[in-house]
Amino acid sequence: MSKRNLNIVGATLVFAVIIVAVYWTLYRHQNFDSGKTIDSVPIDAPLIIRINGMDDVFKMLNQKINYQNELKTFESLNDLYDFANFADSSSFFNDGPGKNFLKGPAYMTFNKVGKESVEWSTHFGVDNKSHQSTLKSWVKDKSIGQRNYTGFTIYEIIPSENSSFHAYATLQNGVLTVSPSSLLVESSIRQQQSSHSLGGNKEFSKLEKTTSSRANGSLFIQFSKLAEFSSAFLAPKAAHYSAFMGKVANWGAVDFEIKDDGIMLNGFISPDGKSSYMSLFDGVESRRSSLGQVLPSDIRLFMAFNFSNKARFAKNFKNYAGELENASSYKTLSTRFEKETGASYIDTFFDLIDGEFALAYSNYNASHPDEGQFLVFRTKGQAYSLPVLKKLQTYFKINSSPIGHYQMDESTSFPIYLGFNNELNEMVWNQLIPDVPMQYFSFFRNYLVFADSRKSLESFLYDNVLKRNLDSHAYFSSFMENFSFEENMFLFAEIPHLYSYVGEYLNQDRFHPTSEQKKTLFNFYAAGVQISNSSDLNYTTFWANYAPHRDKEPRTIWQSRIDSMAAMKPALVENHYTEAKEIMVQDKANNLYLINNMGRILWKRPLDGRILSEIFQIDYYRNNKFQYLFNTSDRLYLLDRNGNHVARYPFSLPATATTGLSVFDYDNNRDYRVFLPLDDRKVYLFDKTGARVPGWGIPQTEGIVKQPVQFFRTSGNDYLVFSDRYRNYIMDRRGNHRVTPQKGFIRNSVSPFYLEHRNSERSALVTTTADGVMARIMLPSGRTELIEKTKVEGTDHFFLLVHESNPTYVIITPDQMNIYDSNLQCVVDSEFKFPVQTVADVYKFSAADHKIGIVSADESKIYLYNIDGTIYKGFPLKGTSRFSIGFLKSSAYRFNLITGGENNYIYNYRVE
């Protein structure tokens, strides 16, 4: 061969080698289609999770969420943390062949294996041929056995010597599949060899396009496969729930976000013809629910339905009912009803419904499981609905007259009727809800309420009269901010209480929470699922939140809700008809309320401003019937017990009031004297009609009087006492100076005067000065003593005297309480854990038993202290205002404590 030909052959060979090398390099680094990973997921998987980035999820679980300790108390979730820690430390995931697995998307599926076992499989996309080759080497190295399955190799692997993780894996066509079950690996292999895959499923693909790669991941639910899968988690008695799950819809796809205070899911559910549960909302517009206004605040679980188009919802309901397994029995009973009444049962009942209803459960009572279950319908009104219900009662041969009344108080009564306990009724409503508590019914306004016990029904009505409902529940209101305003369906459950309701339906081999786990659940508040129809899909939102420091519900006798927070110490006033006590209170919106001893608001009256005085009861007409006298900054008010103005009241004042009025009946003859300081630096005296009393000198003060006028009588002498920021005034009943203190001092702006040693030579007025020194003015001499040893730091303090004949002196600052005995020896020096309001009240439980009431605004708690400085048993309690203690009923033997509470409530506690 010539030299020239040899060179040509050589060049050709070199070129061929280069071509082969380039081809081999390109082949080895040829990227796999990451979208093909889904083709390895078994098409019959009921649950599929696409994780968009495992490293982000692991960081959230390990570093960013506030509830990781709670999650770790559950074994299955603790396993997840073990794997996360393994992935974080493993060289395989950090600098080995699996380093990209935690960054890219991966699919995780859950399948039932055998009769009871549930296992998972994970499907990772491989980057390219080279990556696949490297992975195979690693899998082989970790393998303790391998076998061939229809052309694929299944490896049995243990990642490390110290690992308890044992799994099976296969690697082919750019997908690594790993599972603790070899059966699921085989299923994945068969799936890859099949001509059908989830990637080619139109419904799945349609929903997958609605998901976001920016979320932590997405959950796909194949409802038709969920029935068999869920049976592993349910008790045999709950087999019908397994069947129901298979008929909820066709597919569902929701994105999930792991947040620091909870978990959020958003996405869509697609119905599957008229036989699926979601078909109920086909063509039915969502609407805003009002049920939170009527469901009691102690509801732990409810399932609500809302529909703007009632006729369409009823039509969908009838179609759905006609497709169920018991359709023939339902049709037989429904046809019989229609022949006798001329209308279908569903149409008849839906005719009275105004767009929404709910099944709800309050606190679970294991001894009486039928109690606390409610079926609530918003109706067109009682007048319209009751004839329809009586028509149904007649058909079912039920007495249509009330079987009794719930008599809440002398003027509040609710009739109670027998409900519908029959086969047709149960058959119809069981298609929508799991329980049908319809033994009895009553109405609250336009809401129809069914329950299986009269006690439950009465409790529901009582809570609503007191406005104690979910909309006023602090945590429920903030929880609902995570959902849309409008919905077709809402499922709510308080997480700590959920097991009480569903535990008997769960497989006890799987669900048997320990006491520690039950305690852990109380750090979470609730979970909610909202569904709203959107075109041919149903938009779905799920939210579960972590709320570990939420307060427990106060253990009150009752809670009555007013329009806004209480703005004053609730006053106990006498009902002159029953001699029982009632509560009068003003809220921050300047509404005045009268509330009876059952907590029912008798009336509400808006006022022109804040009440500055106490609420005084006077007998204006001298007929043993009382009225309520008080003032705002601009007016004097006198209201009767129905909230109506008396005589010529209200009166406009000649100047602005600087404090509250005082009322004195010197000789107990109902010839009332009303003193009121105004900002013209005068103290006015009015009679009960609002006219000025002649003979009162109307003293001109040097400064503004900012505390009510006080009246004292001792040793036959009367003293009217008040102060401004310059001096103290001790006057007689005509406005003349009766006593001039020997030493001048400025009284503390909030400390009142007290009289000690009444009717003795030691009679004196005691208070504290602006700079915290106790002051004593002897009567009638005026000799003045300033007691430096009691001085407190700062001007913010309040002074109390307990036991005027054997005095005990109490000085309260925001941070501490000092108590001095009659010899002025400090017997209590107590520091508060939280700042308190510098105002306090003395309560006389008996002649010898006095207690001190204090409010901590920062804590929203109230304290009752014994005179020795110890906290009285049962305290502190939840409360936001000063409180009153007394007997609400004349026959009572236990005291009632009335205070303002959070969320606009008035609390009634029992005090032993």
Side-chain angles (χ1 to χ4, degrees):
M1 182 181 294
S2 67
K3 185 176 181 181
R4 179 174 178 273
N5 290 336
L6 185 62
N7 288 338
I8 291 174
V9 171
T12 302
L13 288 174
V14 170
F15 183 73
V17 169
I18 292 172
I19 292 295
V20 170
V22 169
Y23 174 79
W24 177 247
T25 300
L26 290 175
Y27 173 80
R28 282 176 52 82
H29 293 87
Q30 177 185 357
N31 290 334
F32 289 113
D33 182 0
S34 59
K36 291 293 184 180
T37 308
I38 192 64
D39 292 339
S40 66
V41 174
I43 200 168
D44 62 347
L47 296 177
I48 304 165
I49 299 176
R50 187 188 70 214
I51 303 174
N52 294 327
M54 282 192 177
D55 54 349
D56 290 336
V57 171
F58 290 160
K59 285 177 183 176
M60 282 295 301
L61 293 174
N62 271 319
Q63 302 173 20
K64 297 183 179 180
I65 64 172
N66 300 322
Y67 44 94
Q68 58 175 284
N69 290 334
E70 282 81 0
L71 295 182
K72 288 179 180 178
T73 62
F74 296 91
E75 185 177 345
S76 57
L77 295 175
N78 202 34
D79 290 343
L80 175 64
Y81 271 96
D82 288 343
F83 179 74
N85 293 330
F86 165 74
D88 186 55
S89 60
S90 171
S91 61
F92 174 80
F93 289 107
N94 287 284
D95 51 17
K99 64 181 179 181
N100 292 328
F101 282 169
L102 299 184
K103 300 185 182 300
Y107 289 90
M108 191 172 189
T109 68
F110 295 87
N111 289 75
K112 188 176 178 184
V113 178
K115 188 175 180 180
E116 293 292 337
S117 179
V118 172
E119 296 289 359
W120 57 266
S121 62
T122 304
H123 310 263
F124 298 96
V126 179
D127 294 340
N128 49 51
K129 298 280 187 178
S130 175
H131 187 204
Q132 181 169 283
S133 178
T134 305
L135 278 169
K136 276 190 176 180
S137 297
W138 185 89
V139 170
K140 286 180 179 179
D141 181 58
K142 302 297 181 182
S143 172
I144 58 172
Q146 64 184 63
R147 62 185 174 88
N148 181 277
Y149 183 78
T150 66
F152 282 60
T153 303
I154 297 177
Y155 301 91
E156 186 177 359
I157 60 172
I158 297 178
S160 65
E161 292 182 2
N162 298 325
S163 174
S164 60
F165 180 69
H166 185 271
Y168 299 87
T170 189
L171 183 60
Q172 199 74 26
N173 301 329
V175 179
L176 171 65
T177 298
V178 181
S179 174
S181 168
S182 63
L183 294 177
L184 291 187
V185 175
E186 292 175 5
S187 178
S188 176
I189 291 172
R190 292 194 301 272
Q191 186 59 60
Q192 293 187 61
Q193 295 172 335
S194 170
S195 58
H196 303 287
S197 72
L198 288 176
N201 183 298
K202 291 182 179 180
E203 198 67 39
F204 177 87
S205 299
K206 178 181 177 181
L207 286 175
E208 188 175 34
K209 290 176 182 177
T210 68
T211 62
S212 171
S213 60
R214 292 190 295 272
N216 292 133
S218 302
L219 169 66
F220 301 90
I221 306 171
Q222 188 172 191
F223 287 97
S224 62
K225 306 299 181 184
L226 204 57
E228 174 62 21
F229 177 78
S230 63
S231 64
F233 299 91
L234 298 176
K237 65 183 295 185
H240 57 293
Y241 289 126
S242 292
F244 167 76
M245 290 181 188
K247 296 176 181 178
V248 169
N250 188 11
W251 275 95
V254 290
D255 294 327
F256 64 85
E257 289 283 348
I258 303 172
K259 300 177 179 290
D260 59 356
D261 62 343
I263 298 175
M264 172 72 78
L265 285 79
N266 283 290
F268 293 91
I269 294 176
S270 64
D272 184 20
K274 62 184 181 181
S275 63
S276 73
Y277 198 73
M278 289 297 105
S279 68
L280 291 166
F281 311 118
D282 181 32
V284 178
E285 291 184 8
S286 57
R287 58 176 278 169
R288 188 166 188 169
S289 174
S290 69
L291 290 167
Q293 300 173 13
V294 70
L295 293 179
S297 61
D298 64 351
I299 291 296
R300 306 302 185 194
L301 175 69
F302 73 81
M303 183 180 189
F305 296 83
N306 292 273
F307 37 88
S308 295
N309 189 334
K310 180 172 63 176
R312 181 60 184 266
F313 185 83
K315 179 182 177 181
N316 292 346
F317 184 19
K318 286 188 285 186
N319 289 337
Y320 172 70
E323 294 292 324
L324 298 176
E325 292 179 2
N326 62 352
S328 59
S329 299
Y330 157 72
K331 287 177 181 178
T332 299
L333 294 173
S334 183
T335 300
R336 184 187 306 161
F337 181 93
E338 191 165 350
K339 283 182 178 179
E340 295 187 27
T341 64
S344 74
Y345 175 83
I346 291 177
D347 286 339
T348 300
F349 205 101
F350 268 78
D351 182 50
L352 59 86
I353 301 176
D354 184 19
E356 57 183 330
F357 65 93
L359 171 69
Y361 304 83
S362 63
N363 283 312
Y364 182 77
N365 185 340
S367 302
H368 302 281
D370 289 341
E371 291 186 359
Q373 301 179 20
F374 308 102
L375 193 50
V376 185
F377 297 88
R378 177 174 172 169
T379 73
K380 296 177 180 179
Q382 295 185 45
Y384 184 89
S385 302
L386 196 53
V388 177
L389 294 168
K390 288 189 174 185
K391 178 181 176 182
L392 293 173
Q393 288 174 317
T394 301
Y395 174 80
F396 293 121
K397 297 180 176 57
I398 297 170
N399 179 16
S400 60
S401 298
I403 61 168
H405 288 76
Y406 168 48
Q407 193 75 36
M408 180 177 167
D409 54 37
E410 66 276 4
S411 59
T412 308
S413 178
F414 298 90
I416 294 177
Y417 301 86
L418 283 174
F420 314 110
N421 185 16
N422 58 78
E423 186 179 3
L424 174 60
N425 185 67
E426 289 250 346
M427 193 172 291
V428 167
W429 293 108
N430 267 149
Q431 314 308 328
L432 292 179
I433 52 180
D435 289 315
V436 190
M438 296 180 79
Q439 293 274 11
Y440 306 93
F441 73 84
S442 187
F443 283 91
F444 181 78
R445 296 177 183 161
N446 63 319
Y447 291 92
L448 169 63
V449 187
F450 287 91
D452 274 350
S453 80
R454 288 186 58 172
K455 181 179 178 182
S456 297
L457 203 54
E458 292 172 0
S459 172
F460 187 101
L461 296 168
Y462 183 58
D463 282 337
N464 273 279
V465 170
L466 271 56
K467 300 182 181 179
R468 190 168 176 260
N469 48 50
L470 279 178
D471 275 359
S472 65
H473 190 293
Y475 297 104
F476 181 80
S477 299
S478 59
F479 178 81
M480 292 302 295
E481 291 175 0
N482 295 279
F483 299 92
S484 170
F485 287 122
E486 296 184 340
E487 63 200 38
N488 286 122
M489 181 178 172
F490 195 88
L491 180 61
F492 169 87
E494 286 196 12
I495 293 173
H497 301 280
L498 185 57
Y499 189 79
S500 298
Y501 299 101
V502 303
E504 63 177 308
Y505 301 108
L506 300 176
N507 183 339
Q508 296 302 305
D509 292 335
R510 290 184 177 276
F511 299 97
H512 43 273
T514 63
S515 57
E516 180 187 3
Q517 290 169 342
K518 290 178 180 178
K519 184 178 179 181
T520 291
L521 290 176
F522 275 91
N523 288 337
F524 297 86
Y525 170 54
V529 181
Q530 183 186 65
I531 296 172
S532 304
N533 181 262
S534 177
S535 187
D536 61 336
L537 296 174
N538 292 288
Y539 183 70
T540 305
T541 300
F542 171 89
W543 168 244
N545 73 319
Y546 178 67
H549 303 300
R550 66 186 189 281
D551 293 332
K552 294 181 180 179
E553 278 287 304
R555 301 186 67 176
T556 59
I557 299 173
W558 51 251
Q559 301 174 33
S560 185
R561 193 165 187 256
I562 56 180
D563 288 358
S564 61
M565 296 278 283
M568 62 180 287
K569 175 184 176 181
L572 299 185
V573 295
E574 184 176 337
N575 180 329
H576 49 248
Y577 292 113
T578 65
E579 297 185 353
K581 288 293 192 293
E582 294 172 334
I583 299 104
M584 186 164 277
V585 67
Q586 187 184 33
D587 68 14
K588 290 187 176 181
N590 295 330
N591 296 306
L592 180 66
Y593 302 83
L594 183 65
I595 303 171
N596 71 6
N597 56 25
M598 292 295 290
R600 182 169 68 89
I601 296 173
L602 300 176
W603 50 258
K604 176 182 78 172
R605 172 171 286 279
L607 302 178
D608 70 297
R610 182 172 67 89
I611 295 176
L612 302 181
S613 65
E614 296 181 29
I615 305 291
F616 293 93
Q617 283 188 278
I618 67 171
D619 184 357
Y620 183 88
Y621 295 107
R622 298 187 178 185
N623 60 358
N624 297 318
K625 294 182 179 179
F626 297 115
Q627 296 78 37
Y628 313 108
L629 179 66
F630 55 89
N631 74 286
T632 63
S633 60
D634 296 316
R635 289 184 173 185
L636 277 176
Y637 284 89
L638 185 64
L639 302 178
D640 65 19
R641 67 162 280 99
N642 295 315
N644 301 315
H645 293 296
V646 174
R648 295 181 295 130
Y649 283 87
F651 289 108
S652 294
L653 298 169
T656 301
T658 57
T659 186
L661 61 80
S662 304
V663 180
F664 306 123
D665 183 5
Y666 296 133
D667 301 312
N668 294 320
N669 60 2
R670 291 174 284 193
D671 187 16
Y672 303 102
R673 293 293 181 258
V674 180
F675 289 86
L676 184 59
L678 304 181
D679 68 355
D680 60 0
R681 293 183 296 134
K682 294 180 180 179
V683 177
Y684 289 82
L685 175 59
F686 305 96
D687 64 18
K688 66 181 179 181
T689 70
R692 297 185 191 179
V693 176
W696 172 252
I698 312 183
Q700 181 78 48
T701 60
E702 295 182 30
I704 300 295
V705 175
K706 294 186 176 181
Q707 290 195 68
V709 175
Q710 295 178 266
F711 171 73
F712 301 99
R713 178 175 290 165
T714 179
S715 301
N717 292 323
D718 293 342
Y719 301 91
L720 290 162
V721 183
F722 48 92
S723 307
D724 58 26
R725 63 189 182 98
Y726 300 107
R727 59 181 294 192
N728 301 294
Y729 303 83
I730 306 175
M731 322 291 285
D732 63 17
R733 284 163 55 171
R734 300 188 64 83
N736 300 313
H737 291 278
R738 166 155 277 175
V739 175
T740 300
Q742 183 186 52
K743 294 180 182 178
F745 62 86
I746 300 171
R747 181 166 57 136
N748 176 38
S749 61
V750 295
S751 293
F753 275 104
Y754 296 92
L755 178 65
E756 63 178 4
H757 304 297
R758 187 186 302 269
N759 298 322
S760 78
E761 293 181 355
R762 300 169 60 192
S763 290
L765 296 174
V766 290
T767 188
T768 52
T769 68
D771 55 1
V773 173
M774 186 175 143
R776 177 182 285 133
I777 303 172
M778 303 302 295
L779 298 177
S781 68
R783 184 169 59 85
T784 305
E785 180 184 11
L786 299 179
I787 306 167
E788 293 287 342
K789 66 185 296 185
T790 64
K791 183 175 182 178
V792 294
E793 297 298 327
T795 60
D796 191 8
H797 71 274
F798 187 80
F799 176 70
L800 286 170
L801 179 139
V802 183
H803 300 297
E804 64 178 36
S805 58
N806 183 28
T808 299
Y809 310 99
V810 182
I811 299 179
I812 294 167
T813 72
D815 303 313
Q816 67 181 43
M817 176 170 62
N818 293 337
I819 301 178
Y820 297 86
D821 63 15
S822 58
N823 297 317
L824 295 174
Q825 298 298 313
C826 185
V827 293
V828 174
D829 182 359
S830 175
E831 292 189 359
F832 301 121
K833 293 182 179 179
F834 292 89
V836 302
Q837 296 178 1
T838 50
V839 62
D841 296 283
V842 174
Y843 304 93
K844 298 180 180 179
F845 281 44
S846 67
D849 187 8
H850 291 47
K851 301 189 188 302
I852 303 164
I854 296 174
V855 179
S856 173
D858 288 358
E859 286 186 290
S860 294
K861 289 183 178 179
I862 56 175
Y863 290 80
L864 193 64
Y865 284 89
N866 298 308
I867 201 64
D868 62 1
T870 59
I871 297 179
Y872 188 56
K873 62 181 180 181
F875 285 80
L877 299 171
K878 290 186 68 175
T880 59
S881 76
R882 294 166 64 191
F883 49 94
S884 295
I885 297 178
F887 297 114
L888 290 187
K889 295 181 180 179
S890 57
S891 60
Y893 63 94
R894 290 176 176 171
F895 289 104
N896 296 93
L897 183 153
I898 310 298
T899 184
E902 294 179 326
N903 308 311
N904 308 341
Y905 279 116
I906 301 299
Y907 294 155
N908 172 18
Y909 291 101
R910 178 177 287 119
V911 179
E912 300 293 338

